[in-house]
Amino acid sequence: MVPTEYVLIGGVVAVLAFLWTLHRDMRSLSDRVSRLEGLLEGLRDAVTGRTTTN
């Protein structure tokens, strides 16, 4: 029989690992969305003939 404390510690570690992985995945998704926004802005400017004034 496994002591309850070990089960609790294992559960907490599993939840923390899941949250860390979720955080990393969301950061990666944010970077991808930012790149996609830049590409779409460039495409929009190319289609409409606009020039960027940065």
Side-chain angles (χ1 to χ4, degrees):
M1 179 91 182
V2 178
T4 307
E5 293 83 15
Y6 291 152
V7 173
L8 179 62
I9 291 171
V12 168
V13 168
V15 168
L16 290 176
F18 170 75
L19 290 176
W20 179 256
T21 303
L22 183 63
H23 171 72
R24 188 185 64 215
D25 291 344
M26 291 303 292
R27 185 176 31 190
S28 174
L29 181 61
S30 175
D31 293 343
R32 289 180 180 197
V33 169
S34 295
R35 281 190 303 221
L36 184 59
E37 286 176 343
L39 288 172
L40 288 176
E41 286 176 4
L43 179 61
R44 180 197 64 201
D45 294 344
V47 168
T48 61
R50 294 183 189 173
T51 58
T52 56
T53 57
N54 289 339

